[in-house]
Amino acid sequence: MNKPLRRIAIFCGLLVLALMVRTNWLQYVQAEDLNTNSKNKRIQIERYASERGNIIVDGKPITGSVDSNDEYFKYKRTYVNGPMWAPVTGYASQAYDANQIEKIEDGILTGNSDQLFFDRTMAMFTGDKKKGGNVVTTLNGAAQKAAYDGLGNKKGAVAAIDPKTGKILALASTPSYDPATFAGYSGKDEKAWLALERDKDKPKLNRALREVYPPGSTFKVVTAAAALEHGVVDDIDAATDTPEPFLLPTTRVPMVNHANGCKNASLNQALKVSCNSVFANLGDKVTRDKMVETAQKFGFNNPEIDIPVRAAASVYDKAMDRPQNSLSSIGQFNTATTPLQMAMVTAAIANDGKLMKPYMIDQLEAPNLDVIEKTEPQEMSRPLSQKNAQLLQQMMENVVENGTGGNAKIDDVTVGGKTGTAQHGENNSKNPYAWFISYAKAADGSTVAVAVVVEDSEAKRDDISGGGLAAPIAKDVMQAVLDSKK
Amino acid sequence: MSVVTNTTTIGAIEAPSRRNTELMLLAFAVAIPVFAYINVGLAMDGELPTGVLGYGLGLGLLAGVAHLVVRKFAKYADPLLLPLATLLNGLGLVLVWRLDQSPRLIARAETLFGAFSPDAPKQLLYSAIGIALFVAVLLILKDHRILQRYTYISMAVALLLLILPMFFPSVNGAKIWISLGPFSIQPGEFAKIIIAVFFSGYLMVKRDALALASRRFMGLYLPRGRDLGPILVVWAISILILVFETDLGTSLLFFGLFVIMLYVATERTSWIVFGLLMSAAGAVGVATFEPHVQSRVNAWLDPFACYSTDTSGACEQISNAIMSFGSGGTLGTGLGQGNSDLIGFAANADFILSTVGEELGLAGMMAFLLIYGLIVERGVRTALAARDPFGKLLAIGLSGAFAIQVFVVAGGVMGLIPLTGMTMPFVAAGGSSVIANWALIGILIRISDTARRPAPAPAPSPDAEMTQVVRP
């Protein structure tokens, strides 16, 4: 009977071997897939298992963690002034995952990042409880408050940048939401989440980064930069060869001006009163490809502007015909931009032509506050020469001093700006967007660039509404930044 | 002239009894679970668990008693079986105790049943009863061949045990329990041993008839009906009962047991072919009309896809089990630090291996599988060494059943085969399993003792003195 016994022994060995192969397959080969499977609750459990690190603004946390006494998720996220900071922090919900900084820096905040390996190992020996690291942002609390309060109950967004470094100082979006209302996983949280999902005003949308708007007249500064860079205009005070009415190239469609005195107006004058005809003409003379080139240097058509939260790509069409290029040169046709992008344009001009890469995470800290990673300012591109940038500054300051941007004036501070009112909807059927982009330079050298867009402008469709609605907000934000640096 | 009283120079060589080896291994088998126990306490509460002394002493005492009994009553027994079983039982206790601490499982029990009762103390009691049964087997069963006398009584008892649960209400979809007041017994676990006794006894007598008195049919040798009949009938009845009780794991186990023993007894490969064909037919047949089985097959085919559509919870359970293996990774999260309790229902019973996988990792799983593999290996070795066909058949039957049970449970939990619901021997919470498997180990030890016992010294030859050298 021993021969079949030996065979049975082999069979039993094969059974055990099959189990061993399977466990190796599951725990070694597939482990990573299983661990990141969306159905794996451990990801959420781990995220809230220990006290989560905080997102810091001006040295103070704008987030927090409370012990929720729950058998699944021990800690629950809390937010200080949630609606104001939501466009920066994003949310971290036990039921609905996380987004923005809460998601991108999850490793640091939970303390699970490989960068924190040493700290974790140390904590293991000292017996400390595991704790997450902190994310220190570049934001400026006063500027953020000014932006959020300025937008008030209007729909819109504000982005403010430090032109010299690319640090983002304010990032507001209204209407906003309070991430704390759905931080847990109870029925109440579900209700709050569903209400936000169904809200027509899309409060969860981060308008400063993720919404693209037609830029309207604010785009004229890009056209002006292209005209200067490509040698179409040498003297900003020289008359341009622009007839009145100006017909769109190859068509019989006249370009309507809302301003007076645009015939052969100089670039300086045209920007001051916001002449459509002059910029449509200049855009045509620069030609589409060169317009595209300059726009892209400012950051248009780049789908990977990560701050590190990814911003939507702003658009300057690469394949349109001549009249469409003319329209695009005044921010019409399908030109579209995020508020962040317009702030970048302004920042590049204010920084003498050097565009710094925008970022909003200053440094990452270990739980013991050691800095584990610091973001160094980085040059992104040079859309225009120093000389041309200074010419543009001169013109934009003229806009504020004598033109449509008067509402942004600040005493003892050099302010440059440009208003815009973007048509919206078929045949302008919907309310236009009021835009204002500006920068301020204080005597002590501190600078700030701001872009403001207000969606539901009730005012007339002229440039004054950009100046009237958006400019005061921009002014408050700039003032707040300059004051806080004193 | 010297008178040689005994010229037989080849005496019985005293085989080493290996009892001291066993004692040393037992010390490890007690120490490792005690360390594991301390580990769980430190990981979950940050302090030494209060019961560590009592637990260590209790396990040590049980192991010590078992060892002394083996030393006295089964001197030549295999030295590995007892330590391996003790180690598994001890680690099982730690795992059950660890899952008792899970706030999630406590909350779950409180919402479902209104109260939570820890399983670890019960498991300790069952382990004690199991070792008592082990001791009883060694004391009462002086020679395993006695069991041969009870061939047909075993058959009757096994069938009775299998039929009984039909008269009790089903628990969680399977009618496999007999409830007697506070106790509930899973008779299938005991039936597995008893039916192995019946098969061994019957096959030993009939094996020649089965193997030789056969007709050739389509290249296969078919035995005569009167030889095969009784065994086929018993087997079919047990399978049918189990199918009605929807206890698929156990029916698979019985089937495997039947095929293995028949093959070993007759040495005819045709039995394997028959067995495979019949099991395939049976599996397909059951799967087509049994919704309980269908949901498990679906969960096995794609544990993540049927997550939302499946209402039986089979999918969620199996996918959670697989994810707990995945998150264990190579080294595991450490005892007490995993989330295998997400499985919820049966986390400490059928699914206890997930906790091993998650908290001890691939390393722990390999160790566990090796321990099970070693037990089976020692069982097969016992079968090879046994001198009587009944002992051979019984040993291979028991160790084969053990191997199949491990494979079916572990394979089910790991998603290798559809989940059928059985307990991991010694480790899973549940009295019947622990007690029955201790009895199984007891019988194996008895057979191995008989097998390794040195042959009695030959009687002095009466010729020795008679033969004289006659010098001319």
Side-chain angles (χ1 to χ4, degrees):
Chain A
M1 274 200 280
N2 281 358
K3 202 169 96 187
L5 276 179
R6 283 177 213 284
R7 291 205 179 127
I8 295 297
I10 291 171
F11 169 70
C12 291
L14 286 178
L15 289 186
V16 176
L17 188 71
L19 292 176
M20 286 179 165
V21 169
R22 177 66 180 176
T23 189
N24 273 282
W25 174 255
L26 280 181
Q27 306 201 265
Y28 187 77
V29 181
Q30 279 204 312
E32 189 63 33
D33 288 349
L34 290 170
N35 269 332
T36 49
N37 191 301
S38 59
K39 306 226 165 51
N40 201 337
K41 266 194 187 162
R42 285 171 186 79
I43 302 168
Q44 297 290 85
I45 289 174
E46 184 57 32
R47 183 178 281 154
Y48 301 105
S50 51
E51 216 169 315
R52 200 168 159 80
N54 284 318
I55 298 174
I56 311 262
V57 171
D58 294 338
K60 288 191 290 282
I62 53 170
T63 55
S65 286
V66 283
D67 192 336
S68 56
N69 270 328
D70 184 88
E71 66 263 23
Y72 281 89
F73 307 112
K74 192 161 188 319
Y75 289 95
K76 195 168 122 172
R77 199 59 156 162
T78 58
Y79 293 88
V80 181
N81 211 341
M84 182 169 103
W85 289 112
V88 178
T89 57
Y91 55 79
S93 163
Q94 292 168 353
Y96 303 102
D97 202 16
N99 77 351
Q100 301 203 31
I101 290 187
E102 292 272 36
K103 177 91 170 179
I104 291 171
E105 296 301 346
D106 197 44
I108 294 291
L109 291 168
T110 54
N112 289 337
S113 163
D114 289 341
Q115 290 168 296
L116 292 173
F117 179 77
F118 182 70
D119 292 83
R120 275 204 303 275
T121 317
M122 286 308 288
M124 205 165 77
F125 286 116
T126 55
D128 287 345
K129 248 169 80 183
K130 188 179 150 201
K131 202 171 170 293
N134 293 328
V135 174
V136 181
T137 66
T138 60
L139 282 113
N140 178 315
Q144 180 78 4
K145 186 164 167 30
Y148 184 70
D149 291 350
L151 288 168
N153 52 13
K154 297 186 281 285
K155 241 192 261 183
V158 174
I161 297 181
D162 180 343
K164 286 179 188 157
T165 55
K167 284 182 180 173
I168 291 178
L169 302 170
L171 204 65
S173 168
T174 52
S176 191
Y177 64 96
D178 188 352
T181 54
F182 56 92
Y185 70 110
S186 69
K188 221 174 80 194
D189 297 281
E190 188 186 359
K191 236 189 210 164
W193 169 266
L194 289 177
L196 285 172
E197 287 278 282
R198 292 192 195 113
D199 195 326
K200 283 200 307 291
D201 290 337
K202 293 188 275 182
K204 286 217 314 286
L205 176 66
N206 187 345
R207 289 173 163 79
L209 296 181
R210 302 291 313 165
E211 180 73 313
V212 289
Y213 296 95
S217 302
T218 56
F219 191 78
K220 287 170 184 165
V221 296
V222 177
T223 309
L228 290 167
E229 275 296 291
H230 297 289
V232 175
V233 175
D234 292 323
D235 181 356
I236 57 167
D237 290 313
T240 54
D241 181 18
T242 310
E244 180 75 32
F246 171 75
L247 299 183
L248 285 176
T250 74
T251 69
R252 303 179 59 81
V253 183
M255 176 56 94
V256 183
N257 276 321
H258 298 290
N260 295 322
C262 286
K263 187 176 181 186
N264 293 332
S266 69
L267 186 58
N268 196 358
Q269 174 67 18
L271 196 75
K272 188 179 98 183
V273 297
S274 199
C275 288
N276 289 344
S277 57
V278 174
F279 285 95
N281 188 15
L282 285 175
D284 187 51
K285 282 182 184 161
V286 172
T287 72
R288 181 194 70 199
D289 292 343
K290 285 181 176 163
M291 280 297 292
V292 169
E293 185 195 317
T294 301
Q296 290 190 354
K297 278 189 190 163
F298 276 112
F300 280 82
N301 295 340
N302 181 353
E304 286 177 13
I305 295 181
D306 300 332
I307 63 165
V309 177
R310 180 159 291 185
S314 300
V315 183
Y316 191 83
D317 199 325
K318 288 190 262 192
M320 54 196 167
D321 59 20
R322 271 182 72 194
Q324 287 169 343
N325 178 48
S326 270
L327 282 170
S328 293
S329 301
I330 63 161
Q332 292 185 350
F333 188 54
N334 57 8
T335 306
T337 159
T338 59
L340 176 74
Q341 174 61 61
M342 287 319 290
M344 285 160 66
V345 168
T346 323
I349 294 167
N351 195 32
D352 291 346
K354 198 199 281 182
L355 176 59
M356 301 302 289
K357 191 177 181 305
Y359 65 96
M360 66 174 175
I361 293 181
D362 190 37
Q363 58 190 37
L364 303 177
E365 291 177 348
N368 61 3
L369 305 184
D370 281 350
V371 176
I372 39 179
E373 195 179 310
K374 185 161 174 62
T375 317
E376 291 300 330
Q378 230 182 321
E379 188 180 318
M380 193 167 155
S381 63
R382 282 183 195 253
L384 66 173
S385 69
Q386 187 178 12
K387 183 180 138 254
N388 289 338
Q390 279 161 357
L391 287 175
L392 251 170
Q393 287 170 21
Q394 197 184 325
M395 292 191 282
M396 285 175 77
E397 282 153 23
N398 191 25
V399 169
V400 172
E401 277 304 309
N402 312 306
T404 54
N407 279 340
K409 265 185 221 169
I410 305 175
D411 294 339
D412 306 325
V413 174
T414 315
V415 178
K418 179 71 192 90
T419 57
T421 306
Q423 298 177 347
H424 176 214
E426 288 287 311
N427 299 321
N428 300 350
S429 54
K430 294 187 188 155
N431 287 330
Y433 299 122
W435 273 96
F436 192 73
I437 59 170
S438 65
Y439 62 86
K441 287 181 174 180
D444 63 357
S446 48
T447 54
V448 51
V450 186
V452 177
V453 62
V454 179
E455 277 185 37
D456 45 357
S457 105
E458 298 291 332
K460 311 179 295 291
R461 292 185 187 103
D462 56 22
D463 282 322
I464 307 302
S465 61
L469 269 168
I473 302 173
K475 181 192 160 183
D476 288 348
V477 173
M478 294 190 293
Q479 184 88 58
V481 173
L482 298 180
D483 284 352
S484 62
K485 287 203 175 156
K486 270 174 194 164
Chain B
M1 190 179 81
S2 60
V3 174
V4 180
T5 51
N6 189 348
T7 53
T8 310
T9 49
I10 305 163
I13 295 168
E14 187 83 351
S17 76
R18 300 280 184 219
R19 289 283 65 80
N20 293 332
T21 313
E22 181 183 83
L23 186 62
M24 212 173 69
L25 290 174
L26 262 180
F28 275 109
V30 173
I32 293 170
V34 169
F35 278 123
Y37 189 81
I38 294 173
N39 186 349
V40 174
L42 286 176
M44 297 194 83
D45 309 317
E47 54 193 33
L48 275 181
T50 45
V52 67
L53 199 67
Y55 172 81
L57 284 177
L59 192 66
L61 197 70
L62 287 177
V65 167
H67 171 71
L68 287 179
V69 171
V70 171
R71 197 176 265 270
K72 180 90 174 67
F73 296 96
K75 197 178 166 207
Y76 296 97
D78 189 292
L80 247 65
L81 283 168
L82 180 63
L84 290 173
T86 309
L87 179 59
L88 284 177
N89 199 159
L91 286 174
L93 273 165
V94 172
L95 291 169
V96 171
W97 181 71
R98 177 258 173 276
L99 288 170
D100 276 345
Q101 318 292 307
S102 153
R104 267 168 235 156
L105 292 180
I106 292 174
R108 185 181 181 278
E110 276 166 358
T111 36
L112 285 181
F113 314 113
F116 170 77
S117 65
D119 281 323
K122 288 184 229 160
Q123 184 78 351
L124 190 60
L125 178 69
Y126 292 139
S127 307
I129 298 175
I131 288 180
L133 191 59
F134 171 86
V135 168
V137 165
L138 290 183
L139 290 182
I140 297 165
L141 197 65
K142 292 289 185 209
D143 188 330
H144 63 270
R145 278 166 290 195
I146 299 168
L147 289 173
Q148 236 171 301
R149 295 180 201 156
Y150 304 105
T151 302
Y152 291 94
I153 293 175
S154 320
M155 178 187 83
V157 172
L159 288 181
L160 186 72
L161 279 176
L162 289 172
I163 290 170
L164 269 178
M166 296 186 86
F167 304 106
F168 290 88
S170 81
V171 179
N172 301 314
K175 284 187 155 212
I176 51 173
W177 299 88
I178 307 175
S179 334
L180 298 169
F183 294 101
S184 52
I185 300 168
Q186 224 175 330
E189 292 281 350
F190 296 95
K192 126 186 125 184
I193 299 174
I194 297 170
I195 214 148
V197 171
F198 162 66
F199 282 165
S200 313
Y202 185 83
L203 288 172
M204 197 205 66
V205 176
K206 298 276 183 177
R207 65 192 190 108
D208 289 336
L210 281 167
L212 303 171
S214 51
R215 261 162 287 168
R216 207 179 147 88
F217 177 74
M218 285 175 68
L220 292 170
Y221 289 96
L222 292 183
R224 294 179 303 185
R226 68 181 131 166
D227 298 325
L228 188 60
I231 203 164
L232 210 56
V233 167
V234 172
W235 168 74
I237 290 174
S238 43
I239 297 289
L240 277 178
I241 292 168
L242 293 170
V243 167
F244 279 116
E245 289 167 358
T246 60
D247 184 7
L248 283 156
T250 315
S251 32
L252 202 65
L253 173 68
F254 277 46
F255 190 83
L257 180 66
F258 169 70
V259 171
I260 286 179
M261 294 185 74
L262 211 48
Y263 171 64
V264 171
T266 61
E267 304 191 29
R268 290 231 177 252
T269 322
S270 48
W271 290 116
I272 304 284
V273 180
F274 269 142
L276 288 177
L277 286 178
M278 285 166 81
S279 67
V284 171
V286 172
T288 42
F289 69 81
E290 191 56 74
H292 184 72
V293 180
Q294 278 164 1
S295 68
R296 284 182 166 183
V297 170
N298 286 336
W300 168 63
L301 287 174
D302 196 340
F304 296 105
C306 59
Y307 216 77
S308 47
T309 53
D310 178 75
T311 48
S312 67
C315 235
E316 199 171 340
Q317 237 181 359
I318 190 72
S319 60
N320 259 320
I322 289 178
M323 284 189 289
S324 69
F325 281 104
S327 60
T330 317
L331 292 175
T333 55
L335 275 171
Q337 295 171 58
N339 291 302
S340 56
D341 46 358
L342 284 174
I343 292 166
F345 165 63
N348 69 2
D350 298 21
F351 284 94
I352 196 145
L353 213 54
S354 307
T355 306
V356 178
E358 177 154 2
E359 305 199 336
L360 296 174
L362 178 58
M365 278 300 292
M366 292 297 276
F368 260 79
L369 293 175
L370 279 173
I371 295 173
Y372 280 114
L374 269 176
I375 290 184
V376 174
E377 191 257 357
R378 299 316 286 191
V380 175
R381 208 169 258 264
T382 299
L384 278 168
R387 297 181 187 128
D388 61 311
F390 177 78
K392 271 186 188 303
L393 280 171
L394 188 54
I396 195 68
L398 293 178
S399 39
F402 194 88
I404 292 173
Q405 184 163 0
V406 169
F407 177 75
V408 168
V409 191
V413 172
M414 287 195 274
L416 185 61
I417 56 169
L419 186 76
T420 47
M422 251 199 299
T423 50
M424 208 66 197
F426 292 114
V427 179
S432 317
S433 170
V434 170
I435 297 169
N437 282 304
W438 270 115
L440 187 150
I441 294 291
I443 296 172
L444 278 181
I445 281 191
R446 169 55 69 219
I447 300 173
S448 75
D449 173 52
T450 316
R452 294 178 75 245
R453 191 175 288 277
S461 167
D463 293 342
E465 297 241 42
M466 301 298 178
T467 312
Q468 286 183 351
V469 180
V470 182
R471 286 200 193 100

